[in-house]
Amino acid sequence: MASVEAQERPSGERGAAAPRTRQAVLEIEGMTCAMCVQAVTEGLEELPGVDGVHVNLATARASLTFEDGALDLPRMIAQVRERGYDVHTDGVQIAIDGMTDAASQRAIEAALRSVPGVASAEVNLALDAAFVRYSAAMVAPAELAQAVRAVGYGARVASDAGRREASGAAREARRWRARLLVAGSFALPLLVAMFLEMWGLRGGLAGVLENYWLQLALASVVQFGPGLTFYVDAYYSLRHRSANMSVLVALGTSAAYLYSLSGAFGARHGTYFETSAVLIALVMTGKMLEAIAKGRTASAIEGLLRLQPRTARVERDGVEADVAADEVRPGDLVLVRPGERLPVDGVVLDGVSSVDESMLTGESMPQEKQAGQEVYGGTVNGTGSFRMRATKVGRDTALQQIVRVVEEAQGSKAPIQRLADVLSSYFVPAVTGAALLTFVLWLALGHGLGAALPAGVAVLVIACPCALGLATPTAVMVGSGRGAEVGVLFKAAAHLESTGRLQAVVLDKTGTITRGRPEVTDVVALRDLGEAEVLALGAALERRSEHPLGQAIARAAAARGAALWDAQDWQARPGRGVAGTVGGRRCLLGNRSLLEDAGLALGGLEAPVQALEADGRTVMLLADEAGPLGAIAVADTVKPESREAIAALREMGLKVLMITGDNRRTALAIARQVGIAEQDVRAEVLPARKADEVRRLQRAGLRTAMVGDGVNDAPALATADIGMAIGTGTDVAIEAADVTLMSGDLRLVAAAIDLSRATLRKIRQNLFWALGYNAVGIPLAALGLLSPMIAGAAMALSSVSVTTNSTLLRRMSPLRRFRQG
């Protein structure tokens, strides 16, 4: 989960110590529309030391940045509750060893309450336990136990309510379901009575259900039982000079209820008890369905979290034991058995196996793992077993980092959402005014109170600000979550939106288009030697070398099963090559200068060497004292999927360029292989100048992405409209980028753009539906063409429709164009 983190904040005074800031994430309960978001935002912004607040309706989360030491969780919770909402906290029991008196109790309580993310902590001396309420978005139970251990007491997590099976959306759905059960049970007889009256039935059941006092009792239970939640929410909203959906529901149902209630004081007119009660039940039905649909939008995050196993097999002091995964500490020895998910990140100590890392990289082929190689929590072990040393645990694991990036993207606000925010701020006052105007006009036209009231109520209840508030964040949630599933991480909603508007893509060559390390591509043999012998002689000479080209030759010889020979009297000739005696034969391996110094001509090697060099290969010449023996060509080979990926980008209408610091001949050779035109190749570009090339495209009016993997790509990644870092590259490049591609597969660039475009389409569809629904529904209600109950049903379904439309993004396959190819 996202955590509270300390970070440096620039100071305005040179030389002054920069204040530290923290970030906190709160799970808000009770928000229903954009006005609720505004109310929570304004409330949190009033807290001292707060630098920034962002509240997301779809995720029901608030993110705060504040000065270190200025705030704690209880104050945040109090401020949210003061606005009429609540913050979800979890409960956990910590078993404690070593307490002796009240002083021990106070010390432990103080230690627990000082942990960011703790709402309350009570220590029971008799039970040797602490009961803690905490925010699972800010702190893990294992960290609470560690805080107790830090003050000198033994501690372990006895029960963990933080391991929730249900998301916040599921909890919300359960609450609405419980309210709906009560409201529906008492509203149903009123609805039956209305239909019996419409059908002209009298006496019997109809007579009983038409009894005024029975209808008053049933309607009152609904109005002030389950319906009380709308009054409370409306009170807090109006108290802080804002208005939300609850205000509309409270006004509409109260008007129908009070009009009907006047019959108890002798007024002679029809009643609308069924209208108020059924409206409340319909709205609650909509809120329940909306919560269920919102839960589906968050399925990607929950799916990622389920990848983390609950237990780990740990070896401590020679004893093996199963412990909670949260209790694994850096340095622990972890045993991984066949078929298990890895609990934490680490390094293999001994054993060999293959690990399915598709949840991280999107690549389906298992990766072979042996001693010294890194492995990651959440990935799946194959048929082997191994021991590993834990290096990263808890929120530091690669899986949790992915979850955090996705949560931050889902919690941020896309630029396109500003339209909805502006409209929402005026929505409820405008609808209230329209309802009053409708009511007055119907009276002025002589239709009477019995006709004016339903029309006014219908206007109030058909209006739905929730649909506007959910249109963008639900699509962002699903889009960013779907990206994470295929290996594309968007760092913010703005990047998810902007990626779909790209017009040009600049690709770094080394490590992006190519594999990033040299490989043997061709072997030429002369005289009586075969290719295997040439490779064996070259490997014998290069086995001691640390040069990348020499290592490539040694790898190729081993892969092809060439003979293992040793070189005697080995010598390095800097800038030219190496020399040594292999099997009694004095041999040389290097460039043209090495052979020229030995007085040897290329002879029959001249033509093949020129052809290989024309294709961008680096050629190593092999010779003995009698003359050339052969040649070995080495090159940084193109990734097999690069050509397909670049073709797809061009089909999508993007201009594709390649940029490299390599020489132009090699760059053009690579460009020919992957289908990039010569005029779109930028070669011999110094690292500092890569950003200038990006700016040149931007000055030409092209929204540009830079894709790279190295430290030298970081300035260009930061300069581009969208920086995309290959996840197999350096941490610096990934940090500078807006989008991280978790594997080295260049097809993920096209997938990211496809996904962004699909998300933008969903957002536009949602906004069109939300605005169109209100634009059509409100006039129809004002004209009396919709009864209040039909209007309530339409309102209940509007936000559900928007949210469900967003969930359809889950069916999208960002890599579908490649599978079809």
Side-chain angles (χ1 to χ4, degrees), residues 71-372:
L71 284 174
D72 56 17
L73 183 61
R75 289 192 69 183
M76 299 177 198
I77 293 175
Q79 188 72 356
V80 172
R81 286 175 176 166
E82 200 271 335
R83 291 277 171 160
Y85 304 92
D86 206 350
V87 175
H88 176 76
T89 58
D90 289 292
V92 66
Q93 179 178 332
I94 307 290
I96 300 172
D97 297 324
M99 283 194 299
T100 57
D101 53 23
S104 303
Q105 178 181 349
R106 288 193 298 271
I108 294 170
E109 285 182 348
L112 288 169
R113 289 169 182 168
S114 68
V115 177
V118 170
S120 65
E122 303 292 337
V123 176
N124 188 307
L125 187 60
L127 296 176
D128 288 327
F131 300 90
V132 185
R133 299 298 304 180
Y134 68 100
S135 169
M138 296 166 64
V139 65
E143 294 174 87
L144 301 176
Q146 182 57 39
V148 176
R149 288 193 287 266
V151 292
Y153 300 90
R156 60 183 175 82
V157 179
S159 66
D160 184 1
R163 287 192 175 275
R164 294 160 294 159
E165 295 297 332
S167 65
R171 293 193 307 272
E172 183 182 354
R174 283 200 303 269
R175 283 195 294 269
W176 285 115
R177 188 180 294 114
R179 293 166 182 159
L180 174 60
L181 183 62
V182 177
S185 298
F186 284 85
L188 182 60
L190 295 171
L191 189 62
V192 171
M194 181 191 73
F195 282 116
L196 291 176
E197 183 180 352
M198 288 171 55
W199 296 334
L201 299 177
R202 294 287 186 272
L205 177 63
V208 174
L209 293 179
E210 287 176 3
N211 181 274
Y212 176 87
W213 298 104
L214 175 62
Q215 291 199 356
L216 173 60
L218 292 171
S220 298
V221 171
V222 176
Q223 194 77 28
F224 303 109
L228 187 63
T229 185
F230 297 117
Y231 285 105
V232 172
D233 191 30
Y235 163 75
Y236 280 106
S237 179
L238 295 172
R239 176 183 171 187
H240 294 282
R241 300 181 184 87
S242 65
N244 59 13
M245 183 210 72
S246 293
V247 172
L248 297 179
V249 174
L251 281 174
T253 59
S254 295
Y257 178 83
L258 292 174
Y259 176 77
S260 303
L261 183 62
S262 63
F265 303 97
R268 293 292 178 262
H269 54 63
T271 61
Y272 292 98
F273 284 129
E274 74 284 348
T275 298
S276 63
V278 172
L279 275 178
I280 289 173
L282 286 171
V283 172
M284 288 181 171
T285 302
K287 301 311 293 181
M288 182 188 71
L289 294 174
E290 178 187 315
I292 293 170
K294 282 164 63 178
R296 295 195 188 106
T297 67
S299 62
I301 283 288
E302 294 180 3
L304 287 171
L305 290 173
R306 282 194 293 270
L307 296 177
Q308 179 74 48
R310 294 197 173 192
T311 61
R313 187 76 173 173
V314 175
E315 181 183 320
R316 293 174 180 165
D317 301 324
V319 178
E320 295 182 13
D322 288 326
V323 302
D326 290 341
E327 294 290 327
V328 179
R329 298 189 291 269
D332 277 346
L333 295 181
V334 180
L335 284 73
V336 182
R337 291 164 289 198
E340 289 185 334
R341 284 194 183 273
L342 279 63
V344 295
D345 295 1
V347 176
V348 177
L349 295 179
D350 52 62
V352 177
S353 187
S354 61
V355 177
D356 180 358
E357 297 183 341
S358 58
M359 51 76 62
L360 282 178
T361 65
E363 295 181 356
S364 58
M365 289 298 294
Q367 304 298 307
E368 295 297 322
K369 299 293 181 180
Q370 54 189 350

Side-chain angles (χ1 to χ4, degrees), residues 345-693:
D345 295 1
V347 176
V348 177
L349 295 179
D350 52 62
V352 177
S353 187
S354 61
V355 177
D356 180 358
E357 297 183 341
S358 58
M359 51 76 62
L360 282 178
T361 65
E363 295 181 356
S364 58
M365 289 298 294
Q367 304 298 307
E368 295 297 322
K369 299 293 181 180
Q370 54 189 350
Q373 292 188 301
E374 291 186 337
V375 288
Y376 304 97
T379 58
V380 182
N381 184 32
T383 57
S385 59
F386 57 87
R387 285 196 315 159
M388 58 180 278
R389 186 176 300 280
T391 56
K392 293 181 179 179
V393 302
R395 295 196 305 273
D396 295 327
T397 64
L399 175 61
Q400 290 294 334
Q401 294 291 334
I402 292 173
V403 170
R404 184 167 66 185
V405 169
V406 177
E407 285 183 332
E408 288 174 355
Q410 292 180 344
S412 61
K413 187 174 290 188
I416 199 172
Q417 191 173 340
R418 292 171 189 158
L419 170 64
D421 290 344
V422 171
L423 291 173
S424 296
S425 64
Y426 298 103
F427 190 88
V428 174
V431 169
T432 305
L436 288 173
L437 181 61
T438 299
F439 181 74
V440 170
L441 286 176
W442 275 74
L443 287 178
L445 293 173
H447 291 289
L449 193 61
L453 181 65
V457 170
V459 171
L460 283 173
V461 298
I462 198 170
C464 187
C466 303
L468 273 175
L470 291 168
T472 298
T474 53
V476 168
M477 282 183 68
V478 181
S480 55
R482 188 72 185 99
E485 291 174 347
V486 298
V488 178
L489 296 185
F490 296 93
K491 288 190 177 178
H495 304 144
L496 176 58
E497 178 181 333
S498 300
T499 298
R501 297 194 172 107
L502 291 172
Q503 298 165 296
V505 177
V506 179
L507 303 172
D508 174 54
K509 179 181 77 69
T510 306
T512 302
I513 294 176
T514 65
R515 296 182 185 275
R517 73 173 188 174
E519 301 286 350
V520 171
T521 59
D522 302 89
V523 179
V524 180
L526 296 181
R527 291 160 46 184
D528 58 343
L529 299 181
E531 291 185 5
E533 291 175 284
V534 170
L535 203 55
L537 286 169
L541 293 169
E542 292 288 4
R543 192 163 287 124
R544 302 183 191 178
S545 174
E546 295 183 358
H547 194 282
L549 298 182
Q551 292 176 348
I553 293 173
R555 285 196 306 271
R560 300 185 191 187
L564 298 177
W565 293 333
D566 290 324
Q568 307 297 321
D569 302 323
W570 185 84
Q571 293 177 325
R573 305 285 178 84
R576 290 173 294 172
V578 295
T581 301
V582 183
R585 176 187 288 179
R586 187 66 178 173
C587 296
L588 305 170
L589 182 67
N591 55 25
R592 289 172 182 265
S593 297
L594 183 65
L595 268 65
E596 289 171 0
D597 290 347
L600 301 174
L602 288 183
L605 280 180
E606 186 69 51
V609 166
Q610 287 183 359
L612 290 169
E613 289 179 340
D615 284 338
R617 309 284 199 268
T618 298
V619 183
M620 307 284 283
L621 306 171
L622 178 68
D624 61 10
E625 294 173 344
L629 294 170
I632 303 172
V634 180
D636 181 9
T637 57
V638 171
K639 295 175 183 177
E641 66 274 3
S642 291
R643 183 178 183 86
E644 185 183 15
I646 290 167
L649 291 172
R650 294 167 69 93
E651 289 173 6
M652 294 165 70
L654 289 102
K655 181 179 180 65
V656 183
L657 300 93
M658 183 178 77
I659 192 167
T660 179
D662 212 338
N663 65 76
R664 185 163 183 81
R665 184 182 63 188
T666 300
L668 289 176
I670 296 295
R672 284 194 295 272
Q673 293 181 54
V674 297
I676 295 179
E678 182 175 343
Q679 65 268 24
D680 293 329
V681 176
R682 307 289 184 268
E684 300 174 17
V685 179
L686 296 175
R689 307 292 294 178
K690 289 185 177 182
D692 293 338
E693 290 293 332

Side-chain angles (χ1 to χ4, degrees), residues 713-803:
D713 298 322
L717 289 168
T719 301
D721 295 284
I722 291 292
M724 295 188 182
I726 299 293
T728 52
T730 65
D731 291 341
V732 175
I734 293 171
E735 186 64 30
D738 306 308
V739 180
T740 299
L741 311 177
M742 293 303 294
S743 73
D745 191 337
L746 203 56
R747 292 176 296 183
L748 290 180
V749 177
I753 296 170
D754 262 345
L755 186 58
S756 173
R757 290 177 177 178
T759 303
L760 277 172
R761 284 195 298 272
K762 284 298 177 188
I763 291 174
R764 294 190 184 105
Q765 290 169 9
N766 288 347
L767 288 173
F768 175 82
W769 167 251
L771 292 170
Y773 158 82
N774 286 294
V776 173
I778 292 174
L780 288 176
L783 291 172
L785 300 176
L786 297 176
S787 72
M789 280 185 285
I790 293 176
M795 188 273 277
L797 292 175
S798 61
S799 56
V800 177
S801 301
V802 165
T803 308

